[in-house]
Amino acid sequence: MLRLLIGNKNYSSWSMRSWVLMRELGIGFEEQLVRFDSFEPDSEFKSALQRVGGAGKVPLLVDRDLVIWDTMAIAEYLHESHAGVWPADSRARARARSVCAEMHSGFEALRSHCPMNVEASLAEAGRTIWREQAAVRADVARIEQLWEDALAEHGGPLLFGAFSYADACFAPVCIRLRTYALPLGERARAYAQHVLALTSVASWMEQAAAEHDFRPFEEPYRRGAD
Ligand SMILES: N[C@@H](CCC(=O)N[C@@H](CS)C(=O)NCC(=O)O)C(=O)O
């Protein structure tokens, strides 16, 4: 049985990507939550991960004695044994890998100003961020363009028609857009709503909202859980 080590569901956007991918494709796994803490070298979080292997971050996928770290490597490993991780058509697959790679290495402004927080409603912080941070506006414009191009080429409702890792990869972005109530065009909004309604995404969000594990260092905008 595969084992997936993840962080707090309310905050861990990278964990969410692998978890949603596996759940949506019906790939069986046991999950192990490693609670976020300070991330200091001697923290509980780092010690727990060190005992398993990898780079000291979540998610981590463990298949017997094999430890796979980093979401892209996890997606590629699962692709070798399961259909549906990437689109079947090679052109669409190349494009899906491109958009995921861009997400993986980019959108720094959106990620740092709008950290994922499933349970919070931060529309007011979102309005300030939107007004003051041109780089966040640029990130969202680029994301909308990526989405619209893929939706136009493949007909929706998901980026490459049917579900693929690309949708799991952008699921935390859909949550950020919702938490911070950032403005979005019609087509992008419909896509984000579709992603949020996926069974796997809805159940991650439900479990995240039930966590009630307020981690102050992940909370630039709140003093406590509402
Ligand atoms: N590039 C990595 C990023 C993983 C990552 O940054 N995970 C965060 C949690 S969402 C983490 O473990 N942070 C701990 C740290 O930065 O020390 C991936 O794609 O898996």
Side-chain angles (χ1 to χ4, degrees):
M1 174 66 109
L2 296 168
R3 183 159 60 104
L4 186 71
L5 281 80
I6 60 172
N8 287 50
K9 287 189 169 132
N10 194 45
Y11 303 117
S12 187
S13 57
W14 292 108
S15 304
M16 182 188 182
R17 292 181 169 98
S18 300
W19 193 97
V20 162
L21 174 68
M22 295 176 80
R23 282 291 288 265
E24 199 61 34
L25 294 181
I27 302 171
F29 65 99
E30 276 169 16
E31 74 180 59
Q32 183 182 336
L33 195 142
V34 185
R35 191 178 180 230
F36 275 8
D37 59 19
S38 65
F39 302 146
E40 292 299 324
D42 60 349
S43 62
E44 276 295 309
F45 178 87
K46 292 290 179 192
S47 310
L49 295 183
Q50 233 160 34
R51 287 194 287 274
V52 181
K57 295 185 179 192
V58 285
L60 271 186
L61 181 67
V62 183
D63 187 3
R64 288 158 298 199
D65 61 344
L66 178 64
V67 178
I68 304 128
W69 64 96
D70 200 288
T71 47
M72 285 297 269
I74 292 171
E76 292 299 350
Y77 182 70
L78 294 169
H79 169 64
E80 289 182 25
S81 50
H82 295 84
V85 173
W86 297 116
D89 172 69
S90 101
R91 186 189 151 91
R93 193 160 61 248
R95 194 56 75 75
R97 284 186 167 120
S98 292
V99 302
C100 290
E102 186 171 343
M103 175 74 248
H104 194 259
S105 60
F107 305 118
E108 198 42 56
L110 180 66
R111 270 156 43 184
S112 60
H113 289 288
C114 304
M116 190 171 91
N117 195 327
V118 176
E119 75 163 356
S121 294
L122 299 169
E124 202 181 317
R127 273 192 292 278
T128 308
I129 294 163
W130 193 254
R131 198 173 51 242
E132 294 177 357
Q133 305 297 337
V136 171
R137 296 198 297 273
D139 278 356
V140 172
R142 173 68 188 148
I143 288 167
E144 284 203 62
Q145 187 199 337
L146 284 179
W147 288 359
E148 282 169 14
D149 288 351
L151 292 166
E153 186 167 348
H154 300 281
L158 293 169
L159 290 181
F160 295 89
F163 174 84
S164 73
Y165 181 57
D167 305 298
C169 197
F170 282 101
V173 171
C174 299
I175 290 179
R176 287 175 158 105
L177 293 168
R178 170 184 180 268
T179 298
Y180 297 89
L182 301 184
L184 213 54
E186 209 39 59
R187 194 110 202 246
R189 180 178 308 281
Y191 167 70
Q193 271 163 9
H194 203 91
V195 170
L196 295 176
L198 290 171
T199 312
S200 58
V201 174
S203 74
W204 175 278
M205 289 171 70
E206 199 180 312
Q207 292 170 34
E211 244 172 22
H212 301 306
D213 186 17
F214 189 84
R215 310 271 67 209
F217 51 87
E218 290 283 343
E219 295 275 1
Y221 308 112
R222 298 192 301 169
R223 298 219 169 137
D226 298 327

